[in-house]
Amino acid sequence: MPLPNEEYVLDLLRDGGLVTPAQIDEARARLNGNPSVVEILLHDGVVSSHDISRRLAGEAQMPWIDLSGMIVPPDLIAEISPAMARRFRMIPIARSENRLVVATGDPLDFDSIDSLTFLLQHEIELVCTSPDQIREELVKYYGGANETAGNSSREISQVDPADLEVKGAEAAEFETGDAPIIRMVSLLLIEAQKLGASDIHLEPLEKSFRVRFRIDGVLHEMQSPPKKLQSAIISRLKIMTGSMSIAEKRLPQDGRIQVKMGTKTIDLRVSSIPTNHGESMVMRLLDKTSLLRGLPELGFLSDDQKTFERLLRAPDGILLVTGPTGSGKTTTLYACLNEINKPDCKIITVEEPVEYQISGINQVQVNSEIGMTFPTALRSILRQSPNVIMIGEIRDLETASIATNASLTGHLVFSTLHTNDAPSAVARLIDIGVPPFLVATSIRAILAQRLVRRLCPNCRKSGNLSESELRALRLEPSQLSGANVMRPIGCAGCRQTGYKGRLGIFELFEIEDEARHMVNNRASSLKLRQRARELGMRTLREDGVRKVLAGLTSAEEVISATLGDLD
């Protein structure tokens, strides 16, 4: 029976009259080679595990329960996975209002109690029982310990934290630290992956340590670990990066973590920054499956997809993807590269940082500390004779000038820019100093995009648009003929949100001769937008409306994502 503080337990047993000081002294004299004094007392029958657990429960002011003869329904057993039940040595036995009643054999194992509460994301009510009964119930409800071992198809939620393997960290340094903290951090990463989170936010507040997951673009507050574990959790994650200093808490730091959960490898980009109440840390989970998405999976409808695929086959020119941070620009660019990644096409990227590694593509990491800037890298890669160049972001005149010159010398260039809509990208390039004639002759198309949440396919229901939604979307009731409008409902699969996953809404501005002439004459963004509309460009809101009418997303999502779209 593993005990966190044997002397404390011996004092409780002695004070409760369960053992005498002489019996403790005798057991201590025989300690040589034996596990513990308590184990000797148990072996000799001086005290039973039943007696110990009852005494501990009384001290912890926790109800004690006899599980023999109790039948627990399967839906309750399913609340805790087999791996977690064995790991924490706890059994769900009932529900009390909104709490799950869980039986434990060791009420002093506070780390396991905190970890299980954190994993389940809701409060639990603890009762105590004999450790022997816990062992029997684990076998009864979850089978033998070996039944799930070696099952390569098990879900992420079934992965034992001990199975989580960190890549790239030095083994000796990685293994140092408190085991319960290691387990809690592993549970945090497993839970984030299981829920499909894109970011994990660890935020120190005055009296708490807040944990939030960004799921489908929306932050959700999770069960927070105790404030006292804040420093240990942050230090553990720094150790896992292999590059961040646990001693430095006054300056921002960045790092990367690669972990293997079962058969799945997860990459995390880690950033920490000092705040008033400790270090705040954000981890971006990089989902490599997004590289395998085709254009329809990104949210392109058939007509825009056809136009975009034609642009990808262009021999030269610049294709810009614009939008605010977090609008999916990088995912779109990687999907484009994956589409044209063929043996007869040499592709080189310049990125800060390299988020995803793609087989068959030469990827260059920017490192300004040693002088490896975007312009330096671009000047060098042009001598590598590439067919296609991807620049992570155009930030300054030098980068923009090299990109435009590369496009005019037979290279197809992909890049991103931070503007709110497609026509504004032209003004942005001119503002940073690129001559209008270079902008006019180099840019082939500009794609502006936003992300909206996709309706959960399991619980969405047919519905109607309200009058206010019709006005906001500029729709007439007659236009709803044949539409398939859906409403979010909420189910267990989407965490009661009604949404699962995201898709893009797009604004594609293909620059033709008249638009080039307008750019060369420094036409305003408004006039360029009017020209684009004459050529058939749909605004972000209009593309979103099509996806509302197709039942892919909701009117509320499109309206909130396109507040600035007044055309």
Side-chain angles (χ1 to χ4, degrees), residues 312-326:
L312 294 181
R313 294 193 294 269
D316 52 32
I318 297 177
L319 180 60
L320 284 176
V321 181
T322 74
T325 301

Side-chain angles (χ1 to χ4, degrees), residues 215-218 450-455 465 469 473 486-488 497-503 505 540-541 544-545 547-548 552-563:
I215 303 171
D216 295 334
V218 178
R450 300 289 189 277
L451 291 177
V452 294
R453 290 184 291 175
R454 191 188 296 266
L455 288 169
L465 297 176
E469 289 172 335
L473 298 177
M486 294 286 185
R487 286 287 185 185
T497 63
Y499 299 94
K500 193 167 186 178
R502 289 190 289 178
L503 75 157
I505 55 176
L540 289 165
R541 179 160 293 187
V545 167
K547 286 155 188 175
V548 170
L552 298 175
T553 188
S554 67
E556 181 183 6
E557 280 292 297
V558 171
I559 293 168
S560 63
T562 59
L563 286 174

Side-chain angles (χ1 to χ4, degrees), residues 27-275:
R28 204 184 300 277
R30 295 161 49 200
L31 191 58
N32 184 29
N34 290 295
S36 68
V37 174
V38 173
E39 291 291 347
I40 294 173
L41 294 173
L42 286 168
H43 181 268
D44 290 349
V46 175
V47 69
S48 69
S49 61
H50 179 101
D51 294 331
I52 295 176
S53 61
R54 268 188 176 277
R55 186 73 180 99
L56 291 175
E59 187 67 20
Q61 297 183 336
M62 185 182 297
W64 196 93
I65 189 170
D66 186 351
L67 296 183
S68 59
M70 178 179 288
I71 302 297
V72 182
D75 63 320
L76 276 174
I77 291 298
E79 293 279 349
I80 300 179
S81 70
M84 295 301 103
R86 293 191 189 97
R87 184 74 179 180
F88 300 131
R89 300 181 297 281
M90 297 184 194
I91 298 287
I93 60 170
R95 282 195 182 91
S96 175
E97 297 179 350
N98 294 326
R99 297 182 178 183
L100 184 67
V101 181
V102 178
T104 178
D106 184 1
L108 299 185
D109 189 0
F110 301 117
D111 289 317
S112 290
I113 294 168
D114 288 340
S115 296
L116 183 63
T117 304
F118 178 72
L119 176 66
L120 294 178
Q121 298 300 316
H122 58 72
E123 293 294 327
I124 63 175
E125 182 179 323
L126 285 169
V127 297
C128 189
T129 189
S130 158
D132 293 336
Q133 287 192 349
I134 287 289
R135 282 191 291 271
E136 292 171 4
E137 298 300 301
L138 285 173
V139 174
K140 176 180 175 181
Y141 291 110
Y142 294 106
N146 294 327
E147 287 188 19
T148 57
N151 183 3
S152 61
S153 63
R154 62 186 174 180
E155 298 291 333
I156 288 292
S157 59
Q158 302 290 332
V159 175
D160 192 303
D163 295 338
L164 188 141
E165 177 186 352
V166 179
K167 304 286 187 179
E170 293 294 332
E173 183 182 20
F174 171 69
E175 289 300 331
T176 59
D178 188 30
I181 295 298
I182 294 175
R183 184 171 64 198
M184 181 171 283
V185 170
S186 298
L187 289 173
L188 174 75
L189 301 182
I190 291 169
E191 184 70 5
Q193 174 61 27
K194 184 181 74 172
L195 295 177
S198 61
D199 300 273
I200 302 172
H201 294 251
L202 306 176
E203 301 164 317
L205 306 179
E206 183 178 2
K207 296 181 180 180
S208 63
F209 185 42
R210 184 167 65 179
V211 175
R212 294 193 288 178
F213 290 170
R214 189 179 296 278
I215 303 171
D216 295 334
V218 178
L219 282 170
H220 297 267
E221 188 161 354
M222 316 305 286
Q223 183 71 36
S224 298
K227 174 73 172 176
K228 64 182 180 180
L229 300 180
Q230 171 184 312
S231 179
I233 290 173
I234 295 295
S235 296
R236 169 64 180 167
L237 288 165
K238 285 183 175 182
I239 289 172
M240 290 173 71
T241 67
S243 60
M244 299 172 71
S245 170
I246 62 173
E248 181 55 74
K249 300 180 180 180
R250 300 166 300 169
L251 296 173
Q253 296 187 69
D254 296 298
R256 297 179 76 98
I257 300 173
Q258 187 179 79
V259 296
K260 188 174 182 182
M261 303 179 189
T263 59
K264 191 176 182 69
T265 299
I266 308 298
D267 288 316
L268 300 100
R269 195 172 69 200
V270 185
S271 171
S272 71
I273 189 169
T275 69

Side-chain angles (χ1 to χ4, degrees), residues 234-473:
I234 295 295
S235 296
R236 169 64 180 167
L237 288 165
K238 285 183 175 182
I239 289 172
M240 290 173 71
T241 67
S243 60
M244 299 172 71
S245 170
I246 62 173
E248 181 55 74
K249 300 180 180 180
R250 300 166 300 169
L251 296 173
Q253 296 187 69
D254 296 298
R256 297 179 76 98
I257 300 173
Q258 187 179 79
V259 296
K260 188 174 182 182
M261 303 179 189
T263 59
K264 191 176 182 69
T265 299
I266 308 298
D267 288 316
L268 300 100
R269 195 172 69 200
V270 185
S271 171
S272 71
I273 189 169
T275 69
N276 287 343
H277 304 294
E279 289 180 280
S280 173
M281 181 172 281
V282 176
M283 292 177 284
R284 168 70 57 86
L285 281 75
L286 303 177
D287 182 10
K288 292 187 176 181
T289 59
S290 63
L291 302 181
L292 306 177
R293 295 174 185 166
L295 298 181
E297 293 171 280
L298 294 178
F300 281 102
L301 297 179
S302 57
D303 51 352
D304 281 342
Q305 179 183 338
K306 185 177 180 181
T307 302
F308 203 66
E309 286 176 342
R310 173 171 53 80
L311 291 168
L312 294 181
R313 294 193 294 269
D316 52 32
I318 297 177
L319 180 60
L320 284 176
V321 181
T322 74
T325 301
S327 59
K329 300 186 298 295
T330 301
T331 299
T332 297
L333 284 185
Y334 275 112
C336 293
L337 294 183
N338 196 57
E339 185 82 14
I340 62 176
N341 186 15
K342 303 291 188 297
D344 60 349
C345 179
K346 179 163 184 174
I347 303 173
I348 302 181
T349 73
V350 183
E351 306 168 65
E352 185 186 12
V354 174
E355 294 191 353
Y356 307 103
Q357 296 183 8
I358 310 177
S359 176
I361 293 180
N362 302 277
Q363 296 173 269
V364 178
Q365 171 84 43
V366 168
N367 187 345
S368 56
E369 292 182 1
I370 60 172
M372 186 63 164
T373 61
F374 273 106
T376 302
L378 284 170
R379 281 192 292 268
S380 298
I381 68 173
L382 288 175
R383 293 191 288 270
Q384 295 283 314
S385 188
N387 300 104
V388 177
I389 300 169
M390 188 193 91
I391 305 169
E393 182 184 346
I394 293 179
R395 302 178 179 178
D396 52 48
L397 175 58
E398 192 172 6
T399 303
S401 298
I402 296 173
T404 53
N405 285 318
S407 70
L408 296 175
T409 54
H411 303 89
L412 181 60
V413 179
F414 296 98
S415 191
T416 68
L417 204 62
H418 285 93
T419 62
N420 288 328
D421 61 9
S424 298
V426 171
R428 172 65 180 148
L429 288 174
I430 294 174
D431 284 344
I432 64 177
V434 182
F437 77 92
L438 277 181
V439 176
T441 53
S442 61
I443 295 181
R444 287 192 173 272
I446 304 166
L447 179 76
Q449 69 178 67
R450 300 289 189 277
L451 291 177
V452 294
R453 290 184 291 175
R454 191 188 296 266
L455 288 169
C456 175
N458 298 321
C459 64
R460 63 180 183 176
K461 298 291 183 183
S462 296
N464 298 311
L465 297 176
S466 66
E467 290 186 10
S468 60
E469 289 172 335
L470 287 171
R471 285 195 302 270
L473 298 177

Side-chain angles (χ1 to χ4, degrees), residues 509-523:
F509 178 20
E510 186 176 6
I511 299 184
E512 41 69 68
D513 290 341
E514 177 61 26
R516 294 185 199 283
H517 179 71
M518 295 174 67
V519 172
N520 198 30
N521 289 329
R522 294 179 178 267

